[in-house]
Structures are given as structure tokens and as C-alpha cells.
Amino acid sequence: MREMTDEIARIMVDVFGVPPGRVGAATAFTELEADSLTLAELTLLLEQRYGVPVADGDLRPEHTVSDVAALLRDKGAAGGR
Amino acid sequence: MNGPTAVVAGLGATVPPHVLTNEMLAARLDTSDEWIRSRTGIRSRHTVAPGTATGDLAVTAGARALANAGMSTVDMVVVATATPDRLCPATAPEVASRLGLGPVPAFDVAAVCSGFVYALGVAAGAIAGRLAGSVLVIGADTFSTIVDPSDRTTVAIFGDGAGAVVLRAGVPGEVGGLLAFDLGSDGELADLIAIPAGGSRQRSTGPADPAAHYLAMRGRPVFVNAVRRMAASARAALAGTGWQAAALDWLVGHQANVRILHAVADGLGVPRERAVVNIDRVGNTSAASIPLALADAAAAGDLRAGDRVLLTAFGAGATWGSVTLTWPALPAVATF
């Protein structure tokens, strides 16, 4: 679980240009300066990375990084490769 | 298909002269150049003056493609459009007549932003089936005539234009040949991008709200579906050709949003610099977008004879489609 939250935080940092210190397990998307399409981009990246279907609308602005990790694990994603 | 192969013999494109910049939109709507550019990659788009119709742009693009091909006759005209001059009849017959092409079969293809790829597929089938030895395929749209001028989410995205190619019968393996198609649709997504009124469903249920005559679009699900479908369709066309994505010289995606184009390229493992992008100055021109992008890339000298090219699109319907081709040796293509 820890590994997965770390990796999702890293994806946010790398792909969306968020400062590294600003993303942790408890960080919600609403705290980041992400626009409405950022969640769409993250949906596609997570689906590709973890090989589980992520529906449009699964990720909500109020979700934290650890909420997203839990959601992916519920869908059967394995934590960290 | 065992019949003749469809080969690209000419290319032409046009946009109307009026330029609508982000600054002009920001002066009258709650938006900004930064807001539009960061979300879409668009800086400006061209829009028709009142009285100019899709067919007018289609005639100019068609004439340029015929001149580029050095041809004055074709056996068929196909116009891909979602903004026909009139609901009935189709736009293509009048375009064919205005181009002096005589009594050839002429019809519209309605697959919205995937329309140009669909029309190429129909035309290639007509050539392979020996229904036509040459086809003028035009993608033309004037979405400025159907967007709500006060809706910042659509008015900033769409622009007007037309692009055309001439296809002729050739032999398999010939440079310029269309190779493998993948076309598809999912009507369960029909409401994602739609004009609610103006068709038979609204007419049968009484008068509509005037706003129902404007285009409505749900941005986030469109984004997700566009990337998924374009990437999957592109993979299918590549597999049908026997090409690896890494071997592509150019990925020419429907110019819907630069972030969609980048996500598709990333998903396919194609470097972003191999993705043709001209959305910054034309916006999303629906069925015209792929031929406009091809004309821009050809005029810039980026597209060279023999290059391996993949066209891919997603649009309202939902529809999607991809086709692979090798780029032909064409006379210089004029910029527009």
C-alpha cells in the first residue's frame, strides 16, 4: 500500500509538474493546481500502469493519493512492481 | 481486399480568412489566453463570415487537391461533414457541380470528427470494388456556426476549415497507398457530443429550447474515451499493416486537444515530436482537421515520400477510425 501511494505521488510529481514536497498520501487533488483534464490524464495513466480498468468518474477531485491507491487495490491492482 | 489499392494523388486545404484569437475571446467571455492554451493547446482559430458555408470551403479545398493531383475529373465525390450547408440535401452533389466534375456520384459521410478517416475508408472501398477509379475525398466543417457563442468550453475549441485528398486506383505496395483501416463506433456514447435539437427526434416531440440547437460537449469523458479509442484503433491499424509503432515517421491524430494528442502518442510509445500538431493555429476543425494537419506538415516539408504515416481520429457518435499509409511524392502543397 505504501509503495503504491508513493508511486502515485511520483506520477503526480512527474507528469503534472507538481512540486515533490507537496504530494503525500494525504494530499487531495483539490490541493494541487490541477485542472479538470488532469484527472482524465491520471485515469488513463493509472489504468495503463496497473492494468486494471479505471472508469471516467472513478477519480474525484476530493480524493487523496491514498484513496486512489485503495481504489486501485479494490480493482485488483498489485502494489508496486 | 484484392482490387486496386487507393493511392493518395493530391492534397489541398483552406481556412476562412478571419482569425479569432484567444485574446478576442477573453475580451467577451470569462476566459483567458492562458486558460485556453493550457487546457487545449489552441492560440487561435479561423471562423467563417456570415453567409459562408461548409460547401464554400469544401469547393476551395477540393479545387486545390485536384490541382495538386494534376487532375480535372474524378469518378466520385465524398464530403465528410457534420455541418452540411443544409439538413437536406447532402452537400457533396453541389460541391461536385461547382467543381465542374459532372454527373458523378456524390454524397456526404456523417461521422463528425472521425468523418475524414471514414470517408477515406468508403472511398478506398469504392476503388477496391472498382466502383470508382478516382475519388475526391473532402473533410469540411464550420463548427463556428453550431457552437454557443457564450459557451467558453466549446467556442474556444472549434474552428472552421476544409481539406481534401484525391485518391486514385494504384497497385499494392505503391508509395502513397492506403494500407490498413480500423473503423468503429459506440452509440452508447451518443450524448457525449451532440446537438440535441434540429433532427427528427426533437421534431417529433415539439419545439425545442433555442439552446438545444447548439453543440453540447462533456469534456472529461470525451477526453478519456478519445485517448482510449484512438490508441486502440491506432494499434489495430498498425497490427493490420504489420508495423511497430516505433517505426512510424508521423502520427497524425485528429486535432481535438494537444493533451489528447500527447496522451495518444505516449500510450502508443511514439515520441511526441513525431505527432503532427497544428491545433495551436486552427483549433479543432472536426472532419477537416486531419487533411489540414497533413497540408501543414507537407507544406513545411516534414512529410516526405515513403514516410510511414498513421491517421487516427475520435469523434461524436461516438466514432473512431485509423488508417496507415506511406506518404506519396506530391507536387509542393501550398500552405493555407
Side-chain angles (χ1 to χ4, degrees), chain B residues 264-283:
Chain B
V264 171
D266 293 352
L268 291 173
V270 173
R272 289 182 177 185
E273 58 271 20
R274 295 278 113 189
V276 172
V277 175
N278 75 341
I279 191 173
D280 52 312
R281 69 186 187 94
V282 295

Side-chain angles (χ1 to χ4, degrees), chain B residues 7-336:
Chain B
V7 174
V8 176
L11 171 65
T14 189
V15 290
H18 181 254
V19 178
L20 178 62
T21 65
N22 290 353
E23 289 76 11
M24 290 158 77
L25 289 172
R28 65 176 180 83
L29 294 171
D30 177 23
T31 190
S32 69
D33 175 53
E34 195 283 329
W35 194 95
I36 298 168
R37 268 193 297 113
S38 66
R39 280 161 185 77
T40 68
I42 301 166
R43 293 171 184 276
S44 61
R45 68 292 288 147
H46 294 254
T47 55
V48 290
T52 300
T54 297
D56 301 326
L57 301 181
V59 166
T60 302
R64 288 179 180 177
L66 288 164
N68 186 246
M71 292 165 66
S72 55
T73 62
V74 289
D75 298 334
M76 179 181 282
V77 176
V78 184
V79 174
T81 187
T83 49
D85 290 8
R86 294 176 281 191
L87 264 182
C88 176
T91 301
E94 200 173 352
V95 169
S97 286
R98 289 172 63 186
L99 286 168
L101 296 172
V104 297
F107 56 96
D108 291 0
V109 166
V112 201
C113 295
S114 309
F116 186 74
V117 177
Y118 264 63
L120 287 179
V122 168
I127 287 172
R130 296 187 168 83
L131 194 57
S134 58
V135 184
L136 175 61
V137 178
I138 306 173
D141 267 311
T142 52
F143 269 48
S144 72
T145 65
I146 56 167
V147 293
D148 178 348
S150 66
D151 177 3
R152 66 175 183 173
T153 64
T154 53
V155 81
I157 291 174
F158 293 100
D160 303 336
V165 298
V166 177
L167 297 181
R168 62 164 175 81
V171 295
E174 195 174 340
V175 69
L178 301 183
L179 300 171
F181 279 92
D182 175 73
L183 303 176
S185 75
D186 180 358
E188 291 190 5
L189 302 177
D191 291 333
L192 279 189
I193 311 165
I195 303 173
S200 59
R201 187 166 301 286
Q202 177 270 317
R203 278 159 197 261
S204 69
T205 57
D209 168 7
H213 288 276
Y214 289 128
L215 182 81
M217 185 168 76
R218 292 166 52 202
R220 185 172 150 186
V222 166
F223 190 103
V224 170
N225 281 288
V227 174
R228 278 190 189 135
R229 293 301 189 180
M230 286 165 83
S233 177
R235 283 191 198 99
L238 286 168
T241 316
W243 288 355
Q244 300 293 317
L248 277 179
D249 293 299
W250 297 106
L251 171 64
V252 185
H254 164 53
Q255 308 282 306
N257 181 316
V258 76
R259 287 164 66 174
I260 290 177
L261 293 170
H262 286 162
V264 171
D266 293 352
L268 291 173
V270 173
R272 289 182 177 185
E273 58 271 20
R274 295 278 113 189
V276 172
V277 175
N278 75 341
I279 191 173
D280 52 312
R281 69 186 187 94
V282 295
N284 178 344
T285 56
S286 184
S289 96
I290 285 178
L292 283 177
L294 289 173
D296 250 350
D302 290 339
L303 284 169
R304 293 161 184 272
D307 278 358
R308 295 177 172 203
V309 180
L310 171 73
L311 315 182
T312 186
F314 174 87
T319 55
W320 56 86
S322 303
V323 61
T324 51
L325 69 153
T326 53
W327 193 248
L330 296 180
V333 173
T335 191
F336 47 82

Side-chain angles (χ1 to χ4, degrees), chain A residues 5-6 18-19 23 28 34 36-37 39 41 49 51-52 55 59 62 66 78:
Chain A
T5 53
D6 286 352
V18 180
V23 188
S36 59
L37 296 181
L39 288 187
E41 288 164 327
R49 166 64 186 84
V52 294
L59 305 188
E62 66 273 18
S66 56

